[in-house]
Amino acid sequence: MDYLVESLWQALILISTLDRQLLQIIVTSLYASICGVLIASCLGIPMGVLVGLKQFRGRRLIITLLNTLMALPTVVVGLILYGLFSRQGPFGSLGLLFTPTAIIIGLSILTAPLIANYSLTVVVGADQRILTTATTLGASPLQAKLLLIREIRFGVVAAVVVGFGRAISEVGVAMMLGGNIRGSTRTMTTAIALETSKGEFAFGLALGIILLLVALLVNLLLNYFQQKT
Amino acid sequence: MNTLISLKNICCRLSSDFSLAVADLDLQAGTIYTLIGANGSGKSTLLKVLALLLTPTEGTIRFPSYPDLQHLQLRRRITLVEQSPYLLTGTVKDNLCFGLKVRKIPHHQQQQIIEQVLKQVCLSGFAERKAATLSSGEKQRVALARALVLKPELLLLDEPTANIDTSSVPLIENLIRQLPPQGITVVCATHDMEQPQRLGGTLLRMNLGRLDKLDSNSRH
């Protein structure tokens, strides 16, 4: 018990003194997650809205595919991208492996289906009267769709927040594509795994506390946007 | 009087057991029409056809005064207020602004029109109120105001007094009666069998999807 209390105390000291190494890892994690989710949002939101609004052949197939991709194991994404980015792979010459860019690409691929699916659900679940109201007020089809997106904006933001929650807590992609390189690609999750295995439990605990705080913030944001929806 | 909209041999099949049939209907400009009929008789469907939201499977809809206007331009001369209107998130003003913005009405004119119409529906001072916080009667009046700011030539009202308290009914009815002199043609679907008499104008009766009677009806 003393060990846990002592480690917790040291972890709190590390956080309160803004330990440089700790801060660097947090910044790397936030940078990769935010960039990854931004790219995923640019792909996922339009896709979710389009699939939600349009009726076309193959729509059900796309929805099934999005559902399947949501359950995609992170290590599988890491494995496939590792194969593509490794020296022998088709994109090996780009030198992306073990760089923050590789993590960002991995996180984008991982979170885009999640954001697309949540956006799709929000569009499908939107009040059917929104489009009719816009049309009866003289909106063109495009203006009516833009109004619909405006009306469901909090739901779409909630989808992005969910995506960020997944990205920040992800370990498989960050480990396989980033390589856990100190000062470059070490994220909170990979650092926790490494430092704990090295016996630096207090350091791991400090990162764990930060990760929990980020998760708490994400959930508070999610609740806020869900109440607004 | 000018014919605003003319429906000929309209048939609108919505399902295997329901279709709307209107052999001949000419709506005159600046007139009130009250549309009565049982539940499921096709009143709302007829309103949607008149609002150009539903395209009939057969027949023609003509606007004799505007033979060359495109669908969107015609649609912008018609406004439908539904029985349970959807109010956009935001303020009352946001709701009233939407249609004006779509029509690219300058901002300073928007303000003027909104204030004027809110006064008309007895909601002066409500412009900055959140739409979600309003009572159902107030929401109905906002929906009506949202339609009136657009100065439509044809205003379609689907049970405008169904969801409001009885004390607000005379206010809405009085407002409707003031519209024809302003050049607005009103078609008001109602369940209230006494409302046609109170509103005056012409009575349209729907029965099992058919528009089968057309009576003159003077206000008592």
Side-chain angles (χ1 to χ4, degrees):
Chain A
M1 193 64 191
D2 285 351
Y3 170 68
L4 279 178
V5 173
E6 178 64 20
S7 300
L8 184 63
W9 180 243
Q10 281 178 17
L12 292 173
I13 289 172
L14 281 169
I15 295 168
S16 59
T17 55
L18 302 173
D19 181 81
R20 203 163 156 242
Q21 199 188 340
L22 193 78
L23 281 181
Q24 194 169 40
I25 292 168
I26 294 167
V27 169
T28 306
S29 255
L30 289 174
Y31 170 72
S33 301
I34 290 169
C35 290
V37 169
L38 278 178
I39 295 168
S41 301
C42 292
L43 299 169
I45 296 170
M47 179 179 261
V49 171
L50 269 177
V51 177
L53 285 177
K54 292 267 177 194
Q55 296 294 329
F56 54 90
R57 272 182 72 176
R59 182 173 178 267
R60 283 248 48 99
L61 184 74
I62 290 179
I63 293 173
T64 309
L65 197 68
L66 284 174
N67 282 326
T68 311
L69 289 174
M70 267 177 79
L72 200 65
T74 61
V75 283
V76 173
V77 176
L79 190 71
I80 295 166
L81 289 178
Y82 185 92
L84 293 171
F85 295 154
S86 66
R87 203 167 283 178
Q88 291 89 353
F91 302 113
S93 58
L94 297 174
L96 290 174
L97 197 61
F98 304 142
T99 63
T101 311
I103 303 178
I104 290 169
I105 294 170
L107 292 179
S108 306
I109 292 172
L110 202 67
T111 51
L114 195 75
I115 293 171
N117 232 327
Y118 272 80
S119 304
L120 168 73
T121 310
V122 173
V123 171
V124 172
D127 195 317
Q128 295 297 309
R129 293 173 301 167
I130 299 173
L131 286 177
T132 317
T133 301
T135 309
T136 58
L137 293 174
S140 66
L142 178 67
Q143 287 169 326
K145 286 181 181 79
L146 289 175
L147 178 76
L148 175 82
I149 294 170
R150 208 192 79 180
E151 288 296 294
I152 60 167
R153 62 192 180 277
F154 294 117
V156 174
V157 173
V160 175
V161 172
V162 169
F164 180 77
R166 170 133 205 221
I168 196 81
S169 58
E170 195 287 325
V171 63
V173 163
M175 187 74 89
M176 294 185 77
L177 300 174
N180 206 6
I181 301 166
R182 185 177 176 180
S184 170
T185 58
R186 187 163 295 173
T187 64
M188 284 195 272
T189 51
T190 58
I192 289 171
L194 179 79
E195 298 296 339
T196 310
S197 67
K198 275 165 54 184
E200 297 286 346
F201 184 65
F203 197 86
L205 202 58
L207 286 168
I209 291 168
I210 300 290
L211 201 57
L212 270 175
L213 286 175
V214 173
L216 178 70
L217 186 69
V218 166
N219 275 296
L220 286 173
L221 279 174
L222 192 61
N223 275 336
Y224 172 77
F225 288 119
Q226 277 172 345
Q227 275 168 13
K228 284 259 186 187
T229 306
Chain B
M1 255 195 278
N2 292 332
T3 299
L4 178 69
I5 180 169
S6 173
L7 276 66
K8 295 267 182 276
N9 303 318
I10 293 292
C11 180
C12 200
R13 280 188 203 93
L14 293 184
S15 64
S16 56
D17 53 358
F18 180 80
S19 64
L20 177 84
V22 180
D24 189 4
L25 175 65
D26 288 341
L27 298 184
Q28 306 301 322
T31 308
I32 293 182
Y33 294 87
T34 41
L35 181 61
I36 58 166
N39 269 341
S41 60
K43 299 191 297 291
S44 298
T45 310
L46 178 59
L47 292 184
K48 281 181 180 165
V49 169
L50 288 168
L52 306 182
L53 293 176
L54 266 181
T55 310
T57 31
E58 286 169 33
T60 53
I61 301 174
R62 284 191 319 111
F63 290 79
S65 306
Y66 307 108
D68 302 323
L69 288 189
Q70 299 293 308
H71 186 266
L72 180 63
Q73 291 169 303
L74 288 171
R75 216 159 31 72
R76 286 188 176 165
R77 291 167 190 273
I78 307 165
T79 307
L80 167 70
V81 179
E82 293 186 280
Q83 187 178 352
S84 307
Y86 177 86
L87 293 191
L88 310 178
T89 45
T91 61
V92 169
K93 191 173 149 189
D94 292 334
N95 272 275
L96 271 60
C97 275
F98 179 77
L100 296 172
K101 279 182 189 164
V102 158
R103 287 164 177 77
K104 297 188 171 65
I105 305 289
H107 185 73
H108 66 278
Q109 275 184 36
Q110 287 182 21
Q111 282 297 115
Q112 223 176 343
I113 298 167
I114 288 169
E115 277 171 29
Q116 196 183 333
V117 172
L118 282 178
K119 199 173 170 188
Q120 234 182 321
V121 296
C122 296
L123 288 176
S124 295
F126 275 63
E128 299 304 330
R129 290 267 289 267
K130 291 273 180 200
T133 62
L134 303 176
S135 69
S136 57
E138 288 166 345
K139 281 180 181 169
Q140 193 73 39
R141 277 189 277 163
V142 170
L144 190 58
R146 190 171 61 180
L148 290 176
V149 292
L150 306 176
K151 296 190 168 48
E153 287 180 51
L154 177 58
L155 177 64
L156 306 164
L157 304 169
D158 197 354
E159 311 262 3
T161 54
N163 296 326
I164 60 173
D165 56 284
T166 45
S167 61
S168 300
V169 173
L171 174 82
I172 301 280
E173 288 179 348
N174 194 32
L175 195 65
I176 294 170
R177 282 195 296 268
Q178 289 168 17
L179 297 175
Q182 298 170 37
I184 300 174
T185 304
V186 181
V187 180
C188 177
T190 182
H191 257 113
D192 181 349
M193 299 308 276
E194 288 171 13
Q195 199 165 44
Q197 285 191 331
R198 293 197 300 267
L199 288 178
T202 304
L203 182 68
L204 304 172
R205 189 170 291 152
M206 290 296 298
N207 185 26
L208 300 172
R210 290 180 186 279
L211 187 73
D212 65 358
K213 202 169 182 183
L214 198 72
D215 300 331
S216 272
N217 180 52
S218 56
R219 204 181 143 210
H220 291 254

